[in-house]
Amino acid sequence: MLVSFNLVMALAAVPAAHLARRVGPGRAAAVGLAVFAGAGLACAASDQLSTLIAARCVQAVGGALAVTAVLELLPATVGSERRAAALWATAGATGAALGPAIGGLLTELVSWQSIFLVQVPIAIAAAVPILAVARHEAATGVLSTELRQTGRPHFLANLALALVSAAIAGALFLLVLLLIEGWRLSPIGAAIVVSVMPLAALLGSRLDRLVPSARARAAAGAILVSGGLGGLALLPRAEVALTVPPQVMIGIGLALVLSALTETALSGRAPQAIHGGWTISARHAGVVIGILAVTPIFTHDIAQQRHDAIDAGTAVILDSKVPPLLKLDLAQKIESHLAGEKGKVPTIGPAFEPLPSDPEEHDQVVELREELQDQLNRGATHAFSPSFGLAALIGLLSLIPIGLARRVEL
Amino acid sequence: MNAERRSLLLVGGAIISAMLLVGIYLAAGGASYTPEKTQDPCKHRAWRNPEGLQQIAEQFTLSALDGAACQLGVSRETLARALATPESRERFKKRYDISDAKLAKAVRAGLLRAVDDAEEAGALSPILAAPLRETLRSIPLDQAIELINNAESLLDNVEGFLGPAQSFLEQLLP
């Protein structure tokens, strides 16, 4: 579902921008928001995965139309194309960081349908001021922006955007999975943990004003994203607190790099909607590439690590000093418990219930339980390491087009 | 501070932060935070000074598991869990494409290795080990399968695991 939405967004962004230019950005944005809201309702009403995916694809088309058209409208509101591009880029970066946290909170507190339902009033609220522009366009037949020749898209900036988006998608996607599937946090717990990233992104967006060089911000951002991902690949314990420093780095980094590259891709190019469409396309194509690149790796690794961890835990039990019959009873309980977990990384505690009444055996079993859970935590954490490492590498690759961009421009 | 200096500071700060984080996590054991490796079941595992029938039987079980796992090309731990219940045994056979005959043959080989290990550990006299080996070798394949199938689990209890070997041990142990 995640791939289909981003794939459609990547494919539809540039054609949507052209459409917005033809029919007028006000009307295009209004129609886009209406389609987005309507498809959101359809998503919430879906009772099958296929209809949900179809509705998400329609929503992506509406979103692409609205987002690219809005970029064409922004300069009139904020005063200049440069400020409009910066604002638009910052909004995009903040949205990317906020998404998983808000989604997790809504899923846990209300339901997964609420993620889509909440989008409807937001889309309507956004459409209200745009309707005035749309009415004006319809009444006068004059587009609010002048049609201009489209220049070539900024290839290097868009390539870097795609690469860094692939890395960031990996960070968000994998971290949420690590927390929920690996460390067995609840969705709300995971949402609270990953909210560190958008908070850090807000901090990063403030650095924009201090450092005017977009290239320096892009390079620093890509390095921070990759460094943070490197940290997540090398977590020394299965502790939530240890994800905070990498998340802070990724959050600051993504705010810096996404806004800097988007500004670079739009700078001096017209019309903004078309080039904005290219940046949207590059970012969402990057997300698709990122998810497709890491999914098979972590899917394989999590199965392997689960097996290795359970083997290591079983070895702890087999070699322990608990009485043989108790040992064998535990082995049976653990096997039955694992069968019920159907391939997930298990919480092993319930398999040890009830604990023996004999104080000595009780202590021995508690110690065994902790050792086995430690092995499972190790396996669950390590299963994500290669994927985080790959995402870090992809993030570092974005430094090549970022570095080349200046030479080309010179 | 001019703009160029601020740019350098930002990029330099990013590089140092990234290297520091990765370095600290590496130093804290990030690269080795993996599940412990289990021992190769084909390698000999020394017995831990067994005393009394119960402990000998436990070591015997572990040695037999090692021997059977080695034959089947799986870990001792995987086989131990596989033999815990009839359902887990079926899942194991399906997953590794192992027939009853192959499993029985492996278990028999494991039992023979356990006798060797018991003898080496001094838990079983060489004079007594020989007839025990003969008995285990002469267990027909279907009886070996019966030994697996009839036991609720090979790990259910020591008696269930040892089956006919248990009575031999009880007679032959000092």
PDB file of all heavy atoms in Angstrom, chain B residues 6 23 30 35 49 51 56 80 93 95 97 104 107 111 113 121 130 140 153 157 161-162 165 167 173:
ATOM      1  N   ARG B   6      30.218  29.707   8.121  1.00  0.00           N
ATOM      2  CA  ARG B   6      29.072  28.997   8.718  1.00  0.00           C
ATOM      3  C   ARG B   6      28.774  27.708   7.946  1.00  0.00           C
ATOM      4  O   ARG B   6      28.432  26.687   8.540  1.00  0.00           O
ATOM      5  CB  ARG B   6      27.834  29.904   8.730  1.00  0.00           C
ATOM      6  CG  ARG B   6      27.863  30.940   9.844  1.00  0.00           C
ATOM      7  CD  ARG B   6      26.475  31.449  10.151  1.00  0.00           C
ATOM      8  NE  ARG B   6      25.879  32.154   9.031  1.00  0.00           N
ATOM      9  CZ  ARG B   6      25.912  33.467   8.862  1.00  0.00           C
ATOM     10  NH1 ARG B   6      26.514  34.230   9.755  1.00  0.00           N
ATOM     11  NH2 ARG B   6      25.338  34.030   7.819  1.00  0.00           N
ATOM     12  N   GLY B  23      31.042   5.912  16.051  1.00  0.00           N
ATOM     13  CA  GLY B  23      32.174   5.457  16.869  1.00  0.00           C
ATOM     14  C   GLY B  23      31.736   5.027  18.262  1.00  0.00           C
ATOM     15  O   GLY B  23      32.154   3.975  18.754  1.00  0.00           O
ATOM     16  N   GLY B  30      28.047  -2.245  19.370  1.00  0.00           N
ATOM     17  CA  GLY B  30      26.997  -2.282  18.343  1.00  0.00           C
ATOM     18  C   GLY B  30      27.216  -3.338  17.271  1.00  0.00           C
ATOM     19  O   GLY B  30      26.258  -3.906  16.766  1.00  0.00           O
ATOM     20  N   PRO B  35      22.710 -12.465  18.364  1.00  0.00           N
ATOM     21  CA  PRO B  35      22.498 -13.672  19.176  1.00  0.00           C
ATOM     22  C   PRO B  35      23.786 -14.496  19.275  1.00  0.00           C
ATOM     23  O   PRO B  35      24.586 -14.512  18.333  1.00  0.00           O
ATOM     24  CB  PRO B  35      21.421 -14.443  18.401  1.00  0.00           C
ATOM     25  CG  PRO B  35      20.782 -13.450  17.509  1.00  0.00           C
ATOM     26  CD  PRO B  35      21.826 -12.426  17.193  1.00  0.00           C
ATOM     27  N   ASN B  49      30.997 -33.502  34.383  1.00  0.00           N
ATOM     28  CA  ASN B  49      31.078 -34.321  35.593  1.00  0.00           C
ATOM     29  C   ASN B  49      29.731 -34.883  36.050  1.00  0.00           C
ATOM     30  O   ASN B  49      29.225 -34.512  37.109  1.00  0.00           O
ATOM     31  CB  ASN B  49      31.682 -33.516  36.758  1.00  0.00           C
ATOM     32  CG  ASN B  49      33.028 -32.952  36.382  1.00  0.00           C
ATOM     33  OD1 ASN B  49      33.802 -33.617  35.690  1.00  0.00           O
ATOM     34  ND2 ASN B  49      33.298 -31.731  36.795  1.00  0.00           N
ATOM     35  N   GLU B  51      26.921 -36.900  37.729  1.00  0.00           N
ATOM     36  CA  GLU B  51      26.837 -37.729  38.943  1.00  0.00           C
ATOM     37  C   GLU B  51      25.406 -38.212  39.096  1.00  0.00           C
ATOM     38  O   GLU B  51      24.483 -37.407  39.105  1.00  0.00           O
ATOM     39  CB  GLU B  51      27.230 -36.915  40.177  1.00  0.00           C
ATOM     40  CG  GLU B  51      28.724 -36.615  40.235  1.00  0.00           C
ATOM     41  CD  GLU B  51      29.058 -35.674  41.379  1.00  0.00           C
ATOM     42  OE1 GLU B  51      28.153 -35.349  42.163  1.00  0.00           O
ATOM     43  OE2 GLU B  51      30.222 -35.284  41.482  1.00  0.00           O
ATOM     44  N   ILE B  56      23.437 -38.262  34.327  1.00  0.00           N
ATOM     45  CA  ILE B  56      24.016 -39.022  33.212  1.00  0.00           C
ATOM     46  C   ILE B  56      23.004 -39.067  32.064  1.00  0.00           C
ATOM     47  O   ILE B  56      23.349 -38.865  30.899  1.00  0.00           O
ATOM     48  CB  ILE B  56      24.396 -40.455  33.667  1.00  0.00           C
ATOM     49  CG1 ILE B  56      25.606 -40.392  34.608  1.00  0.00           C
ATOM     50  CG2 ILE B  56      24.713 -41.343  32.470  1.00  0.00           C
ATOM     51  CD1 ILE B  56      25.929 -41.719  35.269  1.00  0.00           C
ATOM     52  N   ALA B  80      16.172 -30.124  19.259  1.00  0.00           N
ATOM     53  CA  ALA B  80      15.552 -30.262  20.588  1.00  0.00           C
ATOM     54  C   ALA B  80      14.133 -29.714  20.574  1.00  0.00           C
ATOM     55  O   ALA B  80      13.204 -30.325  21.103  1.00  0.00           O
ATOM     56  CB  ALA B  80      16.394 -29.532  21.632  1.00  0.00           C
ATOM     57  N   LYS B  93       9.963 -31.794  10.174  1.00  0.00           N
ATOM     58  CA  LYS B  93      10.158 -32.713   9.036  1.00  0.00           C
ATOM     59  C   LYS B  93       9.757 -32.054   7.726  1.00  0.00           C
ATOM     60  O   LYS B  93      10.413 -32.201   6.699  1.00  0.00           O
ATOM     61  CB  LYS B  93       9.333 -33.986   9.268  1.00  0.00           C
ATOM     62  CG  LYS B  93      10.027 -34.969  10.208  1.00  0.00           C
ATOM     63  CD  LYS B  93       9.079 -36.004  10.803  1.00  0.00           C
ATOM     64  CE  LYS B  93       8.237 -36.718   9.796  1.00  0.00           C
ATOM     65  NZ  LYS B  93       7.224 -37.578  10.437  1.00  0.00           N
ATOM     66  N   ARG B  95       9.608 -28.765   7.123  1.00  0.00           N
ATOM     67  CA  ARG B  95      10.473 -27.626   6.809  1.00  0.00           C
ATOM     68  C   ARG B  95      11.803 -28.069   6.212  1.00  0.00           C
ATOM     69  O   ARG B  95      12.319 -27.469   5.277  1.00  0.00           O
ATOM     70  CB  ARG B  95      10.719 -26.805   8.079  1.00  0.00           C
ATOM     71  CG  ARG B  95      11.554 -25.578   7.818  1.00  0.00           C
ATOM     72  CD  ARG B  95      11.745 -24.738   9.059  1.00  0.00           C
ATOM     73  NE  ARG B  95      12.691 -23.671   8.789  1.00  0.00           N
ATOM     74  CZ  ARG B  95      13.231 -22.911   9.712  1.00  0.00           C
ATOM     75  NH1 ARG B  95      12.905 -23.070  10.960  1.00  0.00           N
ATOM     76  NH2 ARG B  95      14.097 -21.964   9.390  1.00  0.00           N
ATOM     77  N   ASP B  97      12.383 -31.118   4.976  1.00  0.00           N
ATOM     78  CA  ASP B  97      12.159 -32.219   4.032  1.00  0.00           C
ATOM     79  C   ASP B  97      12.862 -33.496   4.516  1.00  0.00           C
ATOM     80  O   ASP B  97      13.707 -34.067   3.823  1.00  0.00           O
ATOM     81  CB  ASP B  97      12.647 -31.802   2.637  1.00  0.00           C
ATOM     82  CG  ASP B  97      12.170 -32.793   1.575  1.00  0.00           C
ATOM     83  OD1 ASP B  97      11.167 -33.471   1.820  1.00  0.00           O
ATOM     84  OD2 ASP B  97      12.822 -32.890   0.512  1.00  0.00           O
ATOM     85  N   ALA B 104      14.751 -41.261  12.038  1.00  0.00           N
ATOM     86  CA  ALA B 104      15.025 -42.403  12.916  1.00  0.00           C
ATOM     87  C   ALA B 104      16.493 -42.802  12.832  1.00  0.00           C
ATOM     88  O   ALA B 104      17.135 -43.085  13.849  1.00  0.00           O
ATOM     89  CB  ALA B 104      14.132 -43.573  12.519  1.00  0.00           C
ATOM     90  N   VAL B 107      18.486 -40.299  14.768  1.00  0.00           N
ATOM     91  CA  VAL B 107      18.340 -40.455  16.220  1.00  0.00           C
ATOM     92  C   VAL B 107      19.162 -41.654  16.701  1.00  0.00           C
ATOM     93  O   VAL B 107      19.823 -41.604  17.744  1.00  0.00           O
ATOM     94  CB  VAL B 107      16.853 -40.594  16.610  1.00  0.00           C
ATOM     95  CG1 VAL B 107      16.704 -40.972  18.084  1.00  0.00           C
ATOM     96  CG2 VAL B 107      16.116 -39.298  16.330  1.00  0.00           C
ATOM     97  N   LEU B 111      22.123 -41.681  19.400  1.00  0.00           N
ATOM     98  CA  LEU B 111      22.195 -42.535  20.591  1.00  0.00           C
ATOM     99  C   LEU B 111      23.558 -43.223  20.685  1.00  0.00           C
ATOM    100  O   LEU B 111      24.144 -43.334  21.767  1.00  0.00           O
ATOM    101  CB  LEU B 111      21.074 -43.582  20.554  1.00  0.00           C
ATOM    102  CG  LEU B 111      19.650 -43.050  20.770  1.00  0.00           C
ATOM    103  CD1 LEU B 111      18.617 -44.116  20.432  1.00  0.00           C
ATOM    104  CD2 LEU B 111      19.446 -42.571  22.200  1.00  0.00           C
ATOM    105  N   ARG B 113      26.330 -42.105  19.441  1.00  0.00           N
ATOM    106  CA  ARG B 113      27.330 -41.094  19.835  1.00  0.00           C
ATOM    107  C   ARG B 113      27.246 -40.822  21.337  1.00  0.00           C
ATOM    108  O   ARG B 113      28.270 -40.612  21.999  1.00  0.00           O
ATOM    109  CB  ARG B 113      27.111 -39.810  19.049  1.00  0.00           C
ATOM    110  CG  ARG B 113      28.045 -38.699  19.501  1.00  0.00           C
ATOM    111  CD  ARG B 113      28.055 -37.527  18.584  1.00  0.00           C
ATOM    112  NE  ARG B 113      28.411 -36.319  19.299  1.00  0.00           N
ATOM    113  CZ  ARG B 113      28.480 -35.133  18.737  1.00  0.00           C
ATOM    114  NH1 ARG B 113      28.192 -35.006  17.434  1.00  0.00           N
ATOM    115  NH2 ARG B 113      28.809 -34.067  19.432  1.00  0.00           N
ATOM    116  N   ALA B 121      33.493 -40.058  28.990  1.00  0.00           N
ATOM    117  CA  ALA B 121      33.381 -39.255  30.223  1.00  0.00           C
ATOM    118  C   ALA B 121      33.528 -40.109  31.476  1.00  0.00           C
ATOM    119  O   ALA B 121      33.507 -39.589  32.591  1.00  0.00           O
ATOM    120  CB  ALA B 121      32.037 -38.537  30.246  1.00  0.00           C
ATOM    121  N   ALA B 130      29.812 -51.735  25.113  1.00  0.00           N
ATOM    122  CA  ALA B 130      29.772 -52.552  23.895  1.00  0.00           C
ATOM    123  C   ALA B 130      28.398 -53.187  23.657  1.00  0.00           C
ATOM    124  O   ALA B 130      27.817 -53.012  22.569  1.00  0.00           O
ATOM    125  CB  ALA B 130      30.867 -53.610  23.948  1.00  0.00           C
ATOM    126  N   PRO B 140      15.624 -51.969  14.833  1.00  0.00           N
ATOM    127  CA  PRO B 140      15.223 -51.780  13.436  1.00  0.00           C
ATOM    128  C   PRO B 140      14.680 -50.371  13.214  1.00  0.00           C
ATOM    129  O   PRO B 140      14.281 -49.676  14.165  1.00  0.00           O
ATOM    130  CB  PRO B 140      14.128 -52.822  13.224  1.00  0.00           C
ATOM    131  CG  PRO B 140      13.830 -53.430  14.521  1.00  0.00           C
ATOM    132  CD  PRO B 140      14.784 -52.921  15.540  1.00  0.00           C
ATOM    133  N   SER B 153       7.147 -36.894  23.484  1.00  0.00           N
ATOM    134  CA  SER B 153       8.216 -36.039  23.002  1.00  0.00           C
ATOM    135  C   SER B 153       9.513 -36.680  23.426  1.00  0.00           C
ATOM    136  O   SER B 153       9.603 -37.266  24.494  1.00  0.00           O
ATOM    137  CB  SER B 153       8.101 -34.659  23.625  1.00  0.00           C
ATOM    138  OG  SER B 153       9.371 -34.064  23.656  1.00  0.00           O
ATOM    139  N   ASN B 157      10.508 -36.450  28.754  1.00  0.00           N
ATOM    140  CA  ASN B 157      11.218 -36.837  29.971  1.00  0.00           C
ATOM    141  C   ASN B 157      12.346 -37.778  29.599  1.00  0.00           C
ATOM    142  O   ASN B 157      12.407 -38.278  28.490  1.00  0.00           O
ATOM    143  CB  ASN B 157      10.275 -37.475  31.000  1.00  0.00           C
ATOM    144  CG  ASN B 157       9.584 -38.681  30.406  1.00  0.00           C
ATOM    145  OD1 ASN B 157      10.245 -39.607  29.981  1.00  0.00           O
ATOM    146  ND2 ASN B 157       8.266 -38.656  30.351  1.00  0.00           N
ATOM    147  N   PHE B 161      12.943 -40.380  26.301  1.00  0.00           N
ATOM    148  CA  PHE B 161      14.000 -40.208  25.318  1.00  0.00           C
ATOM    149  C   PHE B 161      14.844 -41.473  25.182  1.00  0.00           C
ATOM    150  O   PHE B 161      15.121 -41.945  24.094  1.00  0.00           O
ATOM    151  CB  PHE B 161      14.896 -39.029  25.704  1.00  0.00           C
ATOM    152  CG  PHE B 161      16.057 -38.888  24.774  1.00  0.00           C
ATOM    153  CD1 PHE B 161      15.881 -38.334  23.524  1.00  0.00           C
ATOM    154  CD2 PHE B 161      17.296 -39.357  25.131  1.00  0.00           C
ATOM    155  CE1 PHE B 161      16.933 -38.235  22.639  1.00  0.00           C
ATOM    156  CE2 PHE B 161      18.354 -39.261  24.255  1.00  0.00           C
ATOM    157  CZ  PHE B 161      18.181 -38.698  23.014  1.00  0.00           C
ATOM    158  N   LEU B 162      15.235 -42.008  26.317  1.00  0.00           N
ATOM    159  CA  LEU B 162      16.137 -43.153  26.251  1.00  0.00           C
ATOM    160  C   LEU B 162      15.433 -44.425  25.811  1.00  0.00           C
ATOM    161  O   LEU B 162      16.032 -45.273  25.171  1.00  0.00           O
ATOM    162  CB  LEU B 162      16.794 -43.375  27.617  1.00  0.00           C
ATOM    163  CG  LEU B 162      17.784 -42.289  28.045  1.00  0.00           C
ATOM    164  CD1 LEU B 162      18.306 -42.581  29.435  1.00  0.00           C
ATOM    165  CD2 LEU B 162      18.929 -42.197  27.052  1.00  0.00           C
ATOM    166  N   ALA B 165      17.106 -47.799  25.727  1.00  0.00           N
ATOM    167  CA  ALA B 165      18.449 -47.568  26.252  1.00  0.00           C
ATOM    168  C   ALA B 165      18.416 -47.335  27.756  1.00  0.00           C
ATOM    169  O   ALA B 165      19.368 -47.654  28.466  1.00  0.00           O
ATOM    170  CB  ALA B 165      19.086 -46.373  25.561  1.00  0.00           C
ATOM    171  N   SER B 167      16.649 -48.789  30.104  1.00  0.00           N
ATOM    172  CA  SER B 167      16.721 -50.011  30.905  1.00  0.00           C
ATOM    173  C   SER B 167      18.141 -50.583  30.886  1.00  0.00           C
ATOM    174  O   SER B 167      18.631 -51.086  31.901  1.00  0.00           O
ATOM    175  CB  SER B 167      15.723 -51.037  30.386  1.00  0.00           C
ATOM    176  OG  SER B 167      15.972 -51.270  29.022  1.00  0.00           O
ATOM    177  N   LEU B 173      24.902 -49.349  34.544  1.00  0.00           N
ATOM    178  CA  LEU B 173      25.642 -48.313  35.262  1.00  0.00           C
ATOM    179  C   LEU B 173      26.084 -48.822  36.616  1.00  0.00           C
ATOM    180  O   LEU B 173      25.404 -49.647  37.223  1.00  0.00           O
ATOM    181  CB  LEU B 173      24.758 -47.079  35.456  1.00  0.00           C
ATOM    182  CG  LEU B 173      24.686 -46.168  34.243  1.00  0.00           C
ATOM    183  CD1 LEU B 173      23.539 -45.188  34.410  1.00  0.00           C
ATOM    184  CD2 LEU B 173      25.995 -45.440  34.021  1.00  0.00           C
TER     185      LEU B 173
END
